[in-house]
Amino acid sequence: MSAPPKRVLITDSVFDDCDVERDVLEPHGFSVTQAPSSDPQTLLDCISEGVAGILVCFAPLDEPLVRAAGENGCRVIARYGIGVDNVDLETATELGIQVTNVPDYCLDEVADHTLALLLACARGLADPIRDRGVGSGIPYERIRRLSGRTLGLVGLGGIGLRVAARARAFGLKVLAFDPYRDDWDGLDVEPVASVRSLVAESDYISLHAPLTDETRHVIDADALAAARRQPILINTARGGLVDLDAVLAALESGQLSGAALDVTEPEPLPDDHPLRDRPDVILTPHVAFHSVEASDELQRRATEEVLRVLRGEPPQNPVNRPRELAEATD
Ligand SMILES: NC(=O)c1ccc[n+]([C@@H]2O[C@H](COP(=O)([O-])OP(=O)(O)OC[C@H]3O[C@@H](n4cnc5c(N)ncnc54)[C@H](O)[C@@H]3O)[C@@H](O)[C@H]2O)c1
């Protein structure tokens, strides 16, 4: 039998180099390879050469790639980030591949970015007011007092709770729809029973749920039809939560008065997408997670998870329970 592979593949990353990965893994006898591109065929070629583990950022690791990984020695897939919707968890679990994430490295950054987007919309900063004379060019009629208005959150987990705390400091009342949260005591957040009620009662709607079958297009034409206060939509969660065609139609009809999107589907939006260049839309390129501190922490902690699993230690943040492990311990 040939020796198990000792190579860890980086499919894609947002970091300048892979010095941290090498520092963590090489002293333990593992080598680090960066894929030349993250298109599926290139990744399949890289994986077919044998991999002990994979570090992935945004590249989709769908069933064929995860299966190829399993057949070529892969024991761990570590996501540089929180959401694992780009990894086929079911196949990984079936093949005994441990999937990990880093669930808490950037909660403050995403909450800060959400508030930055909310404030930019509220104060009309998306409109071209720069380079004009003092007091001119401000979209006066669109700027309303923030204090006393209502922010509705879809999802009240790590990031949603931080957004709520920041929003209250600006005098906003906070509502949330989160069917999986049992404990609302002391949160100072009012639970609502449906997304439609949330949309109806909110001046700002901000999304903080994971992307699942249940949350895909949670903001669609039907949900937006419930709007009564011409709300502004903010999405720093996942692009798939929002039907962008419905958002465009709602902006054009005035149902929505603005949108601020850090994440979109597709990502990035095509250059000629009609949401680009609208004065009532702010787009940022999936950067809500970033700060120097968060990125350093993310790169190191994701790599340390790979090392733990490859050394037979339990990971700190398992996302699945691979079948072999479950059978061995149950
Ligand atoms: N833009 C970025 O750079 C960036 C960075 C990190 C995380 N994110 C995204 O932010 C989102 C929130 O992350 P988090 O760390 O707060 O996650 P979390 O798991 O702590 O919280 C998610 C919350 O959503 C709730 N939820 C689940 N299904 C729901 C549903 N159907 N309707 C309403 N609520 C539902 C859960 O009960 C939970 O309270 C995720 O989508 C994550 O991928 C984006």
Side-chain angles (χ1 to χ4, degrees):
M1 222 169 73
S2 59
K6 301 282 274 180
R7 199 167 68 101
V8 173
L9 176 71
I10 301 174
T11 59
D12 62 316
S13 101
V14 292
F15 310 114
D16 291 340
D17 55 48
C18 48
D19 292 352
V20 169
E21 289 84 344
R22 291 191 204 290
D23 282 353
V24 172
L25 292 164
E26 285 180 355
H28 298 274
F30 297 100
S31 65
V32 175
T33 305
Q34 200 147 18
S37 99
S38 60
D39 72 85
Q41 187 56 52
T42 306
L43 292 184
L44 190 60
D45 293 344
C46 292
I47 287 169
S48 303
E49 289 167 23
V51 282
I54 293 178
L55 281 152
V56 60
C57 190
F58 298 126
L61 292 182
D62 56 8
E63 203 228 317
L65 284 177
V66 174
R67 209 162 275 290
E71 285 162 5
N72 285 281
C74 182
R75 288 156 57 201
V76 55
I77 296 175
R79 164 107 219 282
Y80 291 115
I82 299 180
V84 285
D85 43 275
N86 58 328
V87 179
D88 183 341
L89 286 181
E90 206 176 315
T91 306
T93 305
E94 175 200 324
L95 298 176
I97 301 173
Q98 177 70 66
V99 180
T100 65
N101 68 348
V102 187
D104 52 1
Y105 74 102
C106 65
L107 305 182
D108 284 321
E109 282 78 2
V110 180
D112 291 345
H113 198 85
T114 304
L115 263 292
L117 293 174
L118 191 155
L119 291 174
C121 292
R123 298 302 307 162
L125 302 190
D127 292 86
I129 60 173
R130 294 174 300 271
D131 303 330
R132 296 202 192 164
V134 173
S136 69
I138 295 174
Y140 284 110
E141 71 290 351
R142 296 236 307 270
I143 295 185
R144 306 287 303 278
R145 180 181 290 164
L146 196 56
S147 178
R149 287 163 80 82
T150 299
L151 168 65
L153 306 176
V154 178
L156 192 65
I159 294 170
L161 282 170
R162 283 166 172 79
V163 170
R166 284 157 174 75
R168 277 197 302 275
F170 285 93
L172 285 155
K173 173 182 169 187
V174 185
L175 316 175
F177 171 71
D178 188 329
Y180 299 103
R181 170 169 283 284
D182 303 323
D183 185 8
W184 295 78
D185 288 350
L187 296 182
D188 207 4
V189 175
E190 190 182 309
V192 291
S194 69
V195 173
R196 279 181 64 88
S197 316
L198 184 105
V199 170
E201 292 175 44
S202 298
D203 301 294
Y204 299 91
I205 300 161
S206 189
L207 308 182
H208 303 289
L211 177 61
T212 62
D213 290 344
E214 206 184 357
T215 60
R216 177 167 293 283
H217 287 190
V218 67
I219 298 297
D220 60 6
D222 182 55
L224 290 171
R228 284 195 277 120
R229 302 183 181 195
Q230 294 189 293
I232 286 171
L233 175 70
I234 300 157
N235 188 7
T236 57
R238 281 290 178 269
L241 268 62
V242 172
D243 176 350
L244 286 186
D245 292 340
V247 167
L248 185 62
L251 287 167
E252 278 170 357
S253 71
Q255 247 169 351
L256 277 180
S257 57
L261 310 171
D262 183 55
V263 288
T264 55
E265 192 178 71
E267 200 168 282
L269 284 183
D271 287 344
D272 59 353
H273 195 282
L275 283 175
R276 290 192 182 276
D277 299 325
R278 284 185 70 100
D280 50 3
V281 173
I282 301 178
L283 299 172
T284 57
H286 201 149
V287 289
F289 66 88
H290 179 70
S291 71
V292 170
E293 291 80 3
S295 290
D296 288 352
E297 190 180 327
L298 175 62
Q299 191 173 14
R300 181 162 298 278
R301 285 178 58 193
T303 310
E304 285 170 350
E305 287 289 70
V306 171
L307 182 62
R308 275 187 203 99
V309 176
L310 294 182
R311 296 177 78 191
E313 297 165 16
Q316 285 183 348
N317 296 297
V319 172
N320 64 341
R321 197 151 181 262
R323 183 169 292 170
E324 281 171 25
L325 192 71
E327 281 168 1
T329 53
D330 283 348

PDB file of all heavy atoms in Angstrom, residues 250-273:
ATOM      1  N   ALA A 250     -38.227  45.924  -7.010  1.00  0.00           N
ATOM      2  CA  ALA A 250     -38.728  46.673  -5.848  1.00  0.00           C
ATOM      3  C   ALA A 250     -38.084  48.058  -5.765  1.00  0.00           C
ATOM      4  O   ALA A 250     -38.720  49.023  -5.323  1.00  0.00           O
ATOM      5  CB  ALA A 250     -38.464  45.878  -4.570  1.00  0.00           C
ATOM      6  N   LEU A 251     -36.825  48.175  -6.195  1.00  0.00           N
ATOM      7  CA  LEU A 251     -36.184  49.501  -6.216  1.00  0.00           C
ATOM      8  C   LEU A 251     -36.846  50.370  -7.283  1.00  0.00           C
ATOM      9  O   LEU A 251     -37.107  51.561  -7.074  1.00  0.00           O
ATOM     10  CB  LEU A 251     -34.686  49.363  -6.525  1.00  0.00           C
ATOM     11  CG  LEU A 251     -33.819  48.795  -5.398  1.00  0.00           C
ATOM     12  CD1 LEU A 251     -32.432  48.418  -5.931  1.00  0.00           C
ATOM     13  CD2 LEU A 251     -33.682  49.788  -4.246  1.00  0.00           C
ATOM     14  N   GLU A 252     -37.122  49.750  -8.428  1.00  0.00           N
ATOM     15  CA  GLU A 252     -37.719  50.520  -9.526  1.00  0.00           C
ATOM     16  C   GLU A 252     -39.142  50.970  -9.198  1.00  0.00           C
ATOM     17  O   GLU A 252     -39.547  52.069  -9.554  1.00  0.00           O
ATOM     18  CB  GLU A 252     -37.662  49.720 -10.832  1.00  0.00           C
ATOM     19  CG  GLU A 252     -36.283  49.891 -11.450  1.00  0.00           C
ATOM     20  CD  GLU A 252     -35.980  48.989 -12.617  1.00  0.00           C
ATOM     21  OE1 GLU A 252     -36.821  48.145 -12.963  1.00  0.00           O
ATOM     22  OE2 GLU A 252     -34.868  49.129 -13.168  1.00  0.00           O
ATOM     23  N   SER A 253     -39.879  50.115  -8.455  1.00  0.00           N
ATOM     24  CA  SER A 253     -41.259  50.484  -8.122  1.00  0.00           C
ATOM     25  C   SER A 253     -41.329  51.380  -6.883  1.00  0.00           C
ATOM     26  O   SER A 253     -42.394  51.884  -6.552  1.00  0.00           O
ATOM     27  CB  SER A 253     -42.083  49.222  -7.864  1.00  0.00           C
ATOM     28  OG  SER A 253     -41.673  48.642  -6.631  1.00  0.00           O
ATOM     29  N   GLY A 254     -40.194  51.529  -6.177  1.00  0.00           N
ATOM     30  CA  GLY A 254     -40.209  52.340  -4.959  1.00  0.00           C
ATOM     31  C   GLY A 254     -40.606  51.560  -3.713  1.00  0.00           C
ATOM     32  O   GLY A 254     -40.654  52.110  -2.619  1.00  0.00           O
ATOM     33  N   GLN A 255     -40.861  50.249  -3.855  1.00  0.00           N
ATOM     34  CA  GLN A 255     -41.160  49.415  -2.679  1.00  0.00           C
ATOM     35  C   GLN A 255     -39.968  49.402  -1.716  1.00  0.00           C
ATOM     36  O   GLN A 255     -40.120  49.415  -0.513  1.00  0.00           O
ATOM     37  CB  GLN A 255     -41.380  47.981  -3.149  1.00  0.00           C
ATOM     38  CG  GLN A 255     -42.754  47.457  -2.996  1.00  0.00           C
ATOM     39  CD  GLN A 255     -42.871  46.128  -3.750  1.00  0.00           C
ATOM     40  OE1 GLN A 255     -41.984  45.699  -4.495  1.00  0.00           O
ATOM     41  NE2 GLN A 255     -43.984  45.492  -3.562  1.00  0.00           N
ATOM     42  N   LEU A 256     -38.769  49.321  -2.288  1.00  0.00           N
ATOM     43  CA  LEU A 256     -37.530  49.455  -1.512  1.00  0.00           C
ATOM     44  C   LEU A 256     -36.957  50.825  -1.842  1.00  0.00           C
ATOM     45  O   LEU A 256     -36.979  51.238  -3.006  1.00  0.00           O
ATOM     46  CB  LEU A 256     -36.498  48.412  -1.951  1.00  0.00           C
ATOM     47  CG  LEU A 256     -36.530  46.996  -1.410  1.00  0.00           C
ATOM     48  CD1 LEU A 256     -35.386  46.184  -2.024  1.00  0.00           C
ATOM     49  CD2 LEU A 256     -36.427  46.961   0.116  1.00  0.00           C
ATOM     50  N   SER A 257     -36.376  51.509  -0.820  1.00  0.00           N
ATOM     51  CA  SER A 257     -35.760  52.796  -1.172  1.00  0.00           C
ATOM     52  C   SER A 257     -34.249  52.691  -1.307  1.00  0.00           C
ATOM     53  O   SER A 257     -33.600  53.685  -1.662  1.00  0.00           O
ATOM     54  CB  SER A 257     -36.165  53.891  -0.192  1.00  0.00           C
ATOM     55  OG  SER A 257     -35.830  53.533   1.102  1.00  0.00           O
ATOM     56  N   GLY A 258     -33.679  51.530  -1.063  1.00  0.00           N
ATOM     57  CA  GLY A 258     -32.250  51.378  -1.288  1.00  0.00           C
ATOM     58  C   GLY A 258     -31.820  49.959  -0.962  1.00  0.00           C
ATOM     59  O   GLY A 258     -32.576  49.183  -0.386  1.00  0.00           O
ATOM     60  N   ALA A 259     -30.595  49.636  -1.380  1.00  0.00           N
ATOM     61  CA  ALA A 259     -30.036  48.320  -1.045  1.00  0.00           C
ATOM     62  C   ALA A 259     -28.531  48.472  -0.876  1.00  0.00           C
ATOM     63  O   ALA A 259     -27.893  49.262  -1.592  1.00  0.00           O
ATOM     64  CB  ALA A 259     -30.355  47.302  -2.140  1.00  0.00           C
ATOM     65  N   ALA A 260     -27.987  47.735   0.082  1.00  0.00           N
ATOM     66  CA  ALA A 260     -26.540  47.734   0.308  1.00  0.00           C
ATOM     67  C   ALA A 260     -26.119  46.279   0.429  1.00  0.00           C
ATOM     68  O   ALA A 260     -26.566  45.570   1.335  1.00  0.00           O
ATOM     69  CB  ALA A 260     -26.199  48.502   1.579  1.00  0.00           C
ATOM     70  N   LEU A 261     -25.320  45.820  -0.519  1.00  0.00           N
ATOM     71  CA  LEU A 261     -25.043  44.391  -0.636  1.00  0.00           C
ATOM     72  C   LEU A 261     -23.538  44.129  -0.614  1.00  0.00           C
ATOM     73  O   LEU A 261     -22.808  44.595  -1.491  1.00  0.00           O
ATOM     74  CB  LEU A 261     -25.632  43.865  -1.957  1.00  0.00           C
ATOM     75  CG  LEU A 261     -27.098  44.233  -2.237  1.00  0.00           C
ATOM     76  CD1 LEU A 261     -27.481  43.845  -3.668  1.00  0.00           C
ATOM     77  CD2 LEU A 261     -28.025  43.554  -1.226  1.00  0.00           C
ATOM     78  N   ASP A 262     -23.100  43.380   0.386  1.00  0.00           N
ATOM     79  CA  ASP A 262     -21.702  42.929   0.406  1.00  0.00           C
ATOM     80  C   ASP A 262     -21.574  41.595  -0.315  1.00  0.00           C
ATOM     81  O   ASP A 262     -20.492  41.219  -0.735  1.00  0.00           O
ATOM     82  CB  ASP A 262     -21.229  42.791   1.862  1.00  0.00           C
ATOM     83  CG  ASP A 262     -19.762  42.400   1.957  1.00  0.00           C
ATOM     84  OD1 ASP A 262     -18.928  43.119   1.361  1.00  0.00           O
ATOM     85  OD2 ASP A 262     -19.451  41.372   2.592  1.00  0.00           O
ATOM     86  N   VAL A 263     -22.698  40.889  -0.395  1.00  0.00           N
ATOM     87  CA  VAL A 263     -22.717  39.558  -1.016  1.00  0.00           C
ATOM     88  C   VAL A 263     -23.846  39.523  -2.036  1.00  0.00           C
ATOM     89  O   VAL A 263     -24.898  40.128  -1.827  1.00  0.00           O
ATOM     90  CB  VAL A 263     -22.900  38.462   0.050  1.00  0.00           C
ATOM     91  CG1 VAL A 263     -21.655  38.287   0.891  1.00  0.00           C
ATOM     92  CG2 VAL A 263     -24.089  38.771   0.952  1.00  0.00           C
ATOM     93  N   THR A 264     -23.597  38.829  -3.146  1.00  0.00           N
ATOM     94  CA  THR A 264     -24.604  38.754  -4.209  1.00  0.00           C
ATOM     95  C   THR A 264     -24.539  37.357  -4.816  1.00  0.00           C
ATOM     96  O   THR A 264     -23.582  36.618  -4.617  1.00  0.00           O
ATOM     97  CB  THR A 264     -24.293  39.769  -5.336  1.00  0.00           C
ATOM     98  OG1 THR A 264     -22.960  39.531  -5.813  1.00  0.00           O
ATOM     99  CG2 THR A 264     -24.458  41.201  -4.876  1.00  0.00           C
ATOM    100  N   GLU A 265     -25.565  37.048  -5.572  1.00  0.00           N
ATOM    101  CA  GLU A 265     -25.543  35.819  -6.364  1.00  0.00           C
ATOM    102  C   GLU A 265     -25.993  36.189  -7.769  1.00  0.00           C
ATOM    103  O   GLU A 265     -27.155  36.640  -7.914  1.00  0.00           O
ATOM    104  CB  GLU A 265     -26.477  34.780  -5.755  1.00  0.00           C
ATOM    105  CG  GLU A 265     -26.288  33.400  -6.349  1.00  0.00           C
ATOM    106  CD  GLU A 265     -27.212  32.384  -5.682  1.00  0.00           C
ATOM    107  OE1 GLU A 265     -28.437  32.462  -5.936  1.00  0.00           O
ATOM    108  OE2 GLU A 265     -26.731  31.563  -4.912  1.00  0.00           O
ATOM    109  N   PRO A 266     -25.106  36.100  -8.792  1.00  0.00           N
ATOM    110  CA  PRO A 266     -23.737  35.595  -8.727  1.00  0.00           C
ATOM    111  C   PRO A 266     -22.786  36.600  -8.060  1.00  0.00           C
ATOM    112  O   PRO A 266     -23.128  37.763  -7.895  1.00  0.00           O
ATOM    113  CB  PRO A 266     -23.370  35.414 -10.200  1.00  0.00           C
ATOM    114  CG  PRO A 266     -24.166  36.447 -10.917  1.00  0.00           C
ATOM    115  CD  PRO A 266     -25.461  36.547 -10.160  1.00  0.00           C
ATOM    116  N   GLU A 267     -21.626  36.079  -7.711  1.00  0.00           N
ATOM    117  CA  GLU A 267     -20.626  36.918  -7.052  1.00  0.00           C
ATOM    118  C   GLU A 267     -19.292  36.753  -7.780  1.00  0.00           C
ATOM    119  O   GLU A 267     -18.835  35.608  -7.884  1.00  0.00           O
ATOM    120  CB  GLU A 267     -20.501  36.464  -5.597  1.00  0.00           C
ATOM    121  CG  GLU A 267     -19.892  37.485  -4.697  1.00  0.00           C
ATOM    122  CD  GLU A 267     -20.063  37.087  -3.223  1.00  0.00           C
ATOM    123  OE1 GLU A 267     -21.158  37.266  -2.666  1.00  0.00           O
ATOM    124  OE2 GLU A 267     -19.099  36.559  -2.662  1.00  0.00           O
ATOM    125  N   PRO A 268     -18.687  37.819  -8.316  1.00  0.00           N
ATOM    126  CA  PRO A 268     -19.210  39.180  -8.356  1.00  0.00           C
ATOM    127  C   PRO A 268     -20.317  39.323  -9.385  1.00  0.00           C
ATOM    128  O   PRO A 268     -20.466  38.473 -10.269  1.00  0.00           O
ATOM    129  CB  PRO A 268     -17.979  40.000  -8.781  1.00  0.00           C
ATOM    130  CG  PRO A 268     -17.148  39.046  -9.582  1.00  0.00           C
ATOM    131  CD  PRO A 268     -17.366  37.696  -8.973  1.00  0.00           C
ATOM    132  N   LEU A 269     -21.055  40.430  -9.276  1.00  0.00           N
ATOM    133  CA  LEU A 269     -22.085  40.709 -10.286  1.00  0.00           C
ATOM    134  C   LEU A 269     -21.408  41.016 -11.613  1.00  0.00           C
ATOM    135  O   LEU A 269     -20.349  41.642 -11.630  1.00  0.00           O
ATOM    136  CB  LEU A 269     -22.888  41.946  -9.876  1.00  0.00           C
ATOM    137  CG  LEU A 269     -23.928  41.801  -8.780  1.00  0.00           C
ATOM    138  CD1 LEU A 269     -24.650  43.128  -8.597  1.00  0.00           C
ATOM    139  CD2 LEU A 269     -24.921  40.696  -9.105  1.00  0.00           C
ATOM    140  N   PRO A 270     -22.013  40.615 -12.740  1.00  0.00           N
ATOM    141  CA  PRO A 270     -21.438  40.987 -14.036  1.00  0.00           C
ATOM    142  C   PRO A 270     -21.309  42.515 -14.149  1.00  0.00           C
ATOM    143  O   PRO A 270     -22.091  43.246 -13.541  1.00  0.00           O
ATOM    144  CB  PRO A 270     -22.467  40.463 -15.043  1.00  0.00           C
ATOM    145  CG  PRO A 270     -23.343  39.523 -14.295  1.00  0.00           C
ATOM    146  CD  PRO A 270     -23.241  39.829 -12.841  1.00  0.00           C
ATOM    147  N   ASP A 271     -20.324  42.963 -14.936  1.00  0.00           N
ATOM    148  CA  ASP A 271     -20.062  44.407 -15.062  1.00  0.00           C
ATOM    149  C   ASP A 271     -21.287  45.182 -15.532  1.00  0.00           C
ATOM    150  O   ASP A 271     -21.460  46.343 -15.196  1.00  0.00           O
ATOM    151  CB  ASP A 271     -18.911  44.656 -16.054  1.00  0.00           C
ATOM    152  CG  ASP A 271     -17.586  44.262 -15.436  1.00  0.00           C
ATOM    153  OD1 ASP A 271     -17.540  44.094 -14.190  1.00  0.00           O
ATOM    154  OD2 ASP A 271     -16.608  44.093 -16.195  1.00  0.00           O
ATOM    155  N   ASP A 272     -22.114  44.529 -16.366  1.00  0.00           N
ATOM    156  CA  ASP A 272     -23.264  45.259 -16.916  1.00  0.00           C
ATOM    157  C   ASP A 272     -24.551  44.998 -16.115  1.00  0.00           C
ATOM    158  O   ASP A 272     -25.642  45.269 -16.598  1.00  0.00           O
ATOM    159  CB  ASP A 272     -23.478  44.872 -18.391  1.00  0.00           C
ATOM    160  CG  ASP A 272     -23.733  43.363 -18.543  1.00  0.00           C
ATOM    161  OD1 ASP A 272     -23.606  42.623 -17.528  1.00  0.00           O
ATOM    162  OD2 ASP A 272     -24.063  42.926 -19.661  1.00  0.00           O
ATOM    163  N   HIS A 273     -24.416  44.479 -14.902  1.00  0.00           N
ATOM    164  CA  HIS A 273     -25.633  44.196 -14.115  1.00  0.00           C
ATOM    165  C   HIS A 273     -26.343  45.512 -13.768  1.00  0.00           C
ATOM    166  O   HIS A 273     -25.685  46.486 -13.366  1.00  0.00           O
ATOM    167  CB  HIS A 273     -25.268  43.436 -12.836  1.00  0.00           C
ATOM    168  CG  HIS A 273     -26.456  42.816 -12.173  1.00  0.00           C
ATOM    169  ND1 HIS A 273     -27.351  43.552 -11.416  1.00  0.00           N
ATOM    170  CD2 HIS A 273     -26.932  41.549 -12.189  1.00  0.00           C
ATOM    171  CE1 HIS A 273     -28.312  42.745 -10.978  1.00  0.00           C
ATOM    172  NE2 HIS A 273     -28.081  41.530 -11.432  1.00  0.00           N
TER     173      HIS A 273
END
